Amino acid sequence: MNARPEAAYAPAPAPLTEPTFGTATTGKVGMWIFLVTDAMTFGGLLLAYGILRAGNKEWPAPTTVLGIPFTAFMTFVLIVSSLTMVLGLDAAKKGDRREAVKWLVATAGGGVFFLCGQVYEYRHLIHEGFTLPSGNFPATFYVITSFHGGHVFTGVCYLLITAFGVSRGRHLENGANFVEITGLFWHFVDLIWILVFTLVYLIP
Amino acid sequence: MGDATMSKPVPVRHLHVGPEFHAEQHIHPEPTSFLSRYVFSKDHKVIAKQFLWYGLFFLVMGGVMAMMIRWQIAFPGTAFPVLGQLLWPQSGGVMPPQSYAAFFTMHGTLMIFFAITPILIGAFGNLLIPLMIGARDMAFPTLNLMSFWTNVLAGLCMIVSFFVPMGPAAGGWQSYPTLSTLVGSPGHGQTLWILGIFLTGSASIMGAVNYITTVVRLRAPGMGYFQMPLSVWGIWLTAILNALFVPVLAAGVLLLFLDRVFGSHFFLAGASITKGGGDPVLYQHLFWIFGHPEVYILILPAWGIVSDLLSFFSRKPAFGYKATALSMSVITLLSMVVYGHHMFVVGMSPLLSQGFMTLTMLISIPSAVFFLNWLGTMWRGSIRFATPMLFSLGVVFVFGLGGLTGLHLGAISSDIYLHDSYFVIGHFHLTMAASVLLGAFAAIYFWFPKMFGKMMNETLGKWHFWLTIIPITIVFCGMLVVGYAGMQRRLYNYEAYEFLKHLHPINVWITRAALLLGASQFLFVGNFLSSLISGKKAAENPWEVGTLEWTIPSPPPHHNYDEIPVVLHGPHEFNNPAVTGKDWLAQDEPIGDEPVALGAVGN
């Protein structure tokens, strides 16, 4: 029998412990990966914004065109909706269906308020001639904020579906895992907004 | 040292498997209606077959276009036989310039996004990941179903674009502005191209989320990352790159779409517009941030599959298994930071260019590591020259050529001369067309028995191999030569240029080889179809290898594994001295009466 160098083998399977990823469920792992891909899409759009803005000397200061106090209030509402989301998850984990549904619907309400604010803001800006073809500042503004708005809309639907499920007694098993995944998405949408608000509205 | 394993007492292995782990993979009853079973199936094996047919369809379409492009280059002004009269009756069967531009654009687009991606990632990703890691299905079967049908919608966009006024997209597969804006392509073809790319990108992202999660969460007990077959490694790394970079392409084509349809001008500059000021180079950045990882997206599954097959048919463990897996991972990381080497001539800062060049050159280190590992795997092996092995060797050969020519394009000084020449075409076809195509053939010949329960014909397979490898080498090496001589890509009639006229004979030979290459694929089609109908019935493990998919019947039952297997060995346990009577060992097969304490398994 030929002696074979040990190194030629693929390494022996050493510790035969559970090969799963901690205790995270497939749904949670999947959502995290999706959020990374989604962040990359926003990354692409924000990169385009950065390059176009850096290459254009006549870029107006956003504060002169956009209404900062109004959007700051919308931002505040969105952040508060993250808080209500946490309260909803907490209630769901404790098995308190009534309380959980209440907070989830409140979170969705925050999202709806934000969307209404965005519609109001768009109408106002379009009225002032700030339209998609009128320049690259409005164009990047509309692409990034409406792409985010689409996420808020998706999040509101997602929250209402989750709330409906909870009201029917579903989604509470496994430490309210389903509610937690919904929350991951919602917090992500909030986090992205903070970046968008800073980069598109605030940087002078 | 081998004898030492026999005399040493084997330590008892303990498995700890939480109940939660098992709760996740229920056995679902097999669907009974035709629609849920064959059309809108959630079974990863059925979706794999759907992707295979889908990819082969577009492979034929893209291949025929390649033949027509080559015909125009070698015999300008003459009618393409048969099809020419049907497509261009007004010019007597001669391809007009607009169709030429459309065909090289759609050839690239269809081959990359609709042939290679569905076959290697869609079909073999779906087939192999659950089977090889010992899972009953993908983590998200419904998402898998959606991924395939989104892809079909994308494919329809591309096909429809051939029938709109002014024809399909014709701005090159990268669709650079200004060629791809309304200024360069006023027709609807380019808009449909954007929709198709956006949809197929969405499908890729769905697939990627699914693949990564499946590998992370559904590996059978004992299947650590370093017990996974290298095929799974390759597909998994591809999925990671897809998840990270396809979204950036989506952002890029979204902006292009707005430019075309809603009158913005992200990518228009100078005289094209009256106010503001966009940046065409911005699109190139967004495109290549995705585009460079994309070439690794295409090649990584083939690398993984070839790494496994070389070991299987050399009857030896893969040499440097861990080094191969890690070097593929390092390449995955490096591929994220080298995209600038596609843009050396756009006028980037020289400092930035040098950074990109250095990082590009670094890729040759991990590439050399796994390439030498391939050679080390075969060294002194008892090689069985079955068809899958021949195609794997073909990959080693053409990838070696393609990899070495890449160095000329990664270095700034030589790239500035070679940029946009046929040298580039030759290089990337050797790496991501020839290597990937041969890798796909290797995979089809190898896993056909597991997919369809029939064996493919070996004699025809060998003829197919030789009649593929010889012309494919001539075609793409010929392109390297004419490119080095200064011939630019995308020329409708290069003979209009005095300094290129002397390249006529070599271009004619490239075209002859290409036509032979195209013709010999009929051997494959014939073999594939006849084996499907009347092939010899495949045994459970016809190739005598040890990965998990060969421990279950061919084709596998709906739920794959009656019991989730417990993995005890790496994927390439060949000629283990402790095993008698055969030279291979299944990954879940105990050696002799090796004591294994199974912990909570079976509870």
Side-chain angles (χ1 to χ4, degrees):
Chain A
M1 189 189 302
N2 282 338
R4 259 179 3 138
E6 200 68 30
Y9 286 100
L16 284 178
T17 50
E18 185 184 347
T20 52
F21 197 74
T23 51
T25 58
T26 48
K28 203 189 280 181
V29 175
M31 178 52 85
W32 272 110
I33 296 164
F34 170 73
L35 294 181
V36 171
T37 72
D38 216 15
M40 288 300 286
T41 321
F42 275 106
L45 294 175
L46 288 170
L47 181 73
Y49 165 76
I51 290 179
L52 287 172
R53 186 169 173 178
N56 189 339
K57 292 196 178 64
E58 282 145 35
W59 200 274
T63 43
T64 59
V65 184
L66 306 170
I68 304 298
F70 175 75
T71 316
F73 180 66
M74 278 172 26
T75 310
F76 175 73
V77 171
L78 209 55
I79 292 171
V80 169
S81 79
S82 257
L83 178 71
T84 54
M85 182 69 230
V86 173
L87 293 171
L89 174 61
D90 187 55
K93 278 191 169 160
K94 286 179 184 148
D96 188 343
R97 269 164 51 189
R98 256 185 101 82
E99 195 77 351
V101 170
K102 188 178 89 189
W103 288 120
L104 287 171
V105 171
T107 310
V112 170
F113 183 85
F114 181 87
L115 285 172
C116 292
Q118 203 164 34
V119 170
Y120 173 78
E121 184 189 26
Y122 279 16
R123 284 175 65 113
H124 175 73
L125 288 169
I126 290 168
H127 187 68
E128 291 188 348
F130 190 81
T131 56
L132 189 81
S134 69
N136 273 329
F137 173 46
T140 45
F141 168 82
Y142 282 118
V143 172
I144 294 169
T145 53
S146 64
F147 194 61
H148 178 268
H151 280 72
V152 176
F153 179 75
T154 313
V156 167
C157 299
Y158 193 177
L159 280 165
L160 292 177
I161 291 167
T162 307
F164 179 75
V166 172
S167 75
R168 290 296 178 89
R170 294 193 295 266
H171 307 327
L172 295 179
E173 69 282 5
N174 233 336
N177 184 54
F178 192 94
V179 181
E180 192 177 347
I181 295 170
T182 315
L184 278 178
F185 182 77
W186 190 252
H187 295 314
F188 171 80
V189 171
D190 281 5
L191 179 69
I192 290 286
W193 179 253
I194 292 167
L195 283 176
V196 170
F197 184 54
T198 311
L199 292 172
V200 179
Y201 286 77
L202 293 183
I203 290 183
Chain B
M1 277 172 93
D3 298 66
T5 9
M6 284 204 291
S7 51
K8 250 196 312 197
V10 185
V12 178
R13 288 163 169 174
H14 290 276
L15 272 172
H16 305 284
V17 181
E20 184 202 27
F21 176 72
H22 267 271
E24 268 175 16
Q25 296 196 54
H26 307 289
I27 296 185
H28 298 285
E30 197 166 353
T32 45
S33 80
F34 178 81
L35 273 185
S36 59
R37 201 165 168 171
Y38 297 110
V39 184
F40 299 107
S41 172
K42 294 182 187 179
D43 181 352
H44 73 102
K45 297 181 291 297
V46 178
I47 296 174
K49 287 178 194 169
Q50 289 175 322
F51 266 119
L52 184 63
W53 288 108
Y54 178 78
L56 288 173
F57 169 77
F58 281 107
L59 188 68
V60 172
M61 208 165 147
V64 171
M65 283 188 209
M67 299 300 119
M68 293 184 181
I69 294 166
R70 277 318 307 179
W71 186 272
Q72 166 59 28
I73 294 172
F75 316 112
T78 55
F80 188 82
V82 193
L83 279 177
Q85 293 290 351
L86 290 172
L87 290 170
W88 309 288
Q90 71 283 11
S91 63
V94 180
M95 182 192 275
Q98 175 65 21
S99 299
Y100 182 78
F103 273 32
F104 68 64
T105 301
M106 295 310 285
H107 164 75
T109 305
L110 294 184
M111 286 300 207
I112 290 170
F113 295 104
F114 296 91
I116 293 172
T117 306
I119 293 175
L120 275 160
I121 307 174
F124 286 102
N126 258 314
L127 178 77
L128 296 181
I129 292 178
L131 287 179
M132 284 187 142
I133 64 173
R136 294 216 161 105
D137 203 328
M138 284 287 181
F140 309 113
T142 313
L143 192 66
N144 211 3
L145 164 82
M146 280 163 61
S147 170
F148 175 72
W149 285 101
T150 310
N151 231 322
V152 171
L153 279 181
L156 282 177
C157 282
M158 292 297 173
I159 291 173
V160 168
S161 80
F162 281 88
F163 300 99
V164 297
M166 287 192 262
W173 81 277
Q174 305 99 331
S175 285
Y176 280 172
T178 343
L179 287 175
S180 58
T181 57
L182 286 178
V183 179
S185 317
H188 287 304
Q190 185 69 50
T191 311
L192 283 165
W193 183 93
I194 295 172
L195 280 176
I197 292 295
F198 197 86
L199 286 171
T200 194
S202 311
S204 284
I205 293 170
M206 293 180 207
V209 169
N210 208 350
Y211 290 9
I212 301 172
T213 310
T214 307
V215 170
V216 170
R217 282 297 275 133
L218 297 190
R219 280 168 294 125
M223 177 75 80
Y225 285 100
F226 287 112
Q227 280 75 44
M228 294 196 307
L230 289 163
S231 308
V232 179
W233 266 96
I235 295 162
W236 186 56
L237 292 170
T238 278
I240 291 173
L241 284 178
N242 257 334
L244 287 173
F245 295 105
V246 172
V248 182
L249 176 71
V253 297
L254 177 67
L255 299 182
L256 190 58
F257 184 81
L258 294 174
D259 268 11
R260 294 182 60 85
V261 179
F262 293 102
S264 58
H265 27 73
F266 294 106
F267 302 130
L268 285 173
S272 318
I273 53 159
T274 48
K275 54 199 164 188
D279 185 359
V281 178
L282 167 62
Y283 178 87
Q284 298 192 21
H285 281 288
L286 291 175
F287 183 85
W288 288 115
I289 286 175
F290 150 82
H292 194 75
E294 171 69 7
V295 304
Y296 291 94
I297 286 168
L298 300 175
I299 189 73
L300 274 162
W303 282 349
I305 287 167
V306 167
S307 305
D308 273 342
L309 295 192
L310 287 177
S311 158
F312 293 162
F313 288 96
S314 302
R315 315 308 293 170
K316 269 180 68 190
F319 183 84
Y321 165 91
K322 219 171 190 171
T324 305
L326 289 175
S327 60
M328 290 202 296
S329 311
V330 170
I331 292 172
T332 303
L333 285 174
L334 281 175
S335 77
M336 302 173 187
V337 289
V338 299
Y339 78 91
H341 65 219
H342 295 270
M343 298 167 63
F344 285 153
V345 299
V346 301
M348 258 195 290
S349 145
L351 190 66
L352 203 57
S353 295
Q354 280 168 16
F356 278 125
M357 175 174 86
T358 313
L359 288 164
T360 305
M361 291 301 170
L362 276 180
I363 291 188
S364 44
I365 299 171
S367 308
V369 169
F370 77 75
F371 197 86
L372 289 172
N373 281 345
W374 285 352
L375 303 182
T377 301
M378 289 182 280
W379 180 253
R380 293 184 147 188
S382 318
I383 297 180
R384 295 179 182 174
F385 288 102
T387 311
M389 179 59 170
L390 290 177
F391 276 99
S392 304
L393 291 171
V395 175
V396 175
F397 176 65
V398 291
F399 186 75
L401 288 172
L404 288 174
T405 51
L407 295 172
H408 301 252
L409 297 169
I412 300 169
S413 43
S414 45
D415 178 72
I416 288 174
Y417 169 70
L418 293 168
H419 184 84
D420 256 358
S421 75
Y422 258 88
F423 192 88
V424 179
I425 314 290
H427 159 72
F428 77 67
H429 275 92
L430 281 168
T431 45
M432 66 180 219
S435 304
V436 175
L437 185 68
L438 296 179
F441 282 136
I444 292 172
Y445 281 103
F446 186 75
W447 279 289
F448 188 91
K450 192 51 70 183
M451 275 182 121
F452 298 103
K454 305 272 178 70
M455 299 300 288
M456 283 182 82
N457 184 308
E458 274 288 299
T459 317
L460 276 176
K462 284 173 183 162
W463 274 101
H464 174 221
F465 169 72
W466 288 108
L467 288 174
T468 298
I469 188 74
I470 295 170
I472 216 169
T473 311
I474 296 173
V475 169
F476 298 128
C477 289
M479 288 183 182
L480 293 174
V481 175
V482 293
Y484 205 78
M487 183 167 149
Q488 294 292 295
R489 69 193 292 191
R490 296 175 177 170
L491 295 180
Y492 174 63
N493 183 3
Y494 72 97
E495 291 183 65
Y497 301 88
E498 198 58 43
F499 75 104
L500 294 176
K501 274 192 172 154
H502 70 287
L503 297 174
H504 183 72
I506 191 162
N507 271 318
V508 170
W509 273 103
I510 295 174
T511 297
R512 285 182 184 149
L515 293 172
L516 173 63
L517 176 65
S520 60
Q521 302 318 305
F522 284 106
L523 285 174
F524 172 75
V525 175
N527 193 352
F528 190 91
L529 295 178
S530 68
S531 304
L532 205 57
I533 297 161
S534 57
K536 203 172 71 172
K537 205 172 152 16
E540 194 172 280
N541 187 0
W543 309 109
E544 302 183 312
V545 295
T547 45
L548 291 175
E549 79 274 26
W550 301 105
T551 62
I552 50 175
S554 313
H558 178 66
H559 54 271
N560 297 350
Y561 295 96
D562 295 337
E563 299 252 339
I564 298 289
V566 175
V567 176
L568 304 169
H569 317 283
H572 314 115
E573 280 297 299
F574 290 105
N575 277 302
N576 188 321
V579 178
T580 47
K582 58 179 186 178
D583 68 345
W584 53 278
L585 187 67
Q587 278 193 274
D588 63 345
E589 192 179 352
I591 302 176
D593 47 3
E594 180 189 34
V596 178
L598 290 185
V601 169
N603 290 356

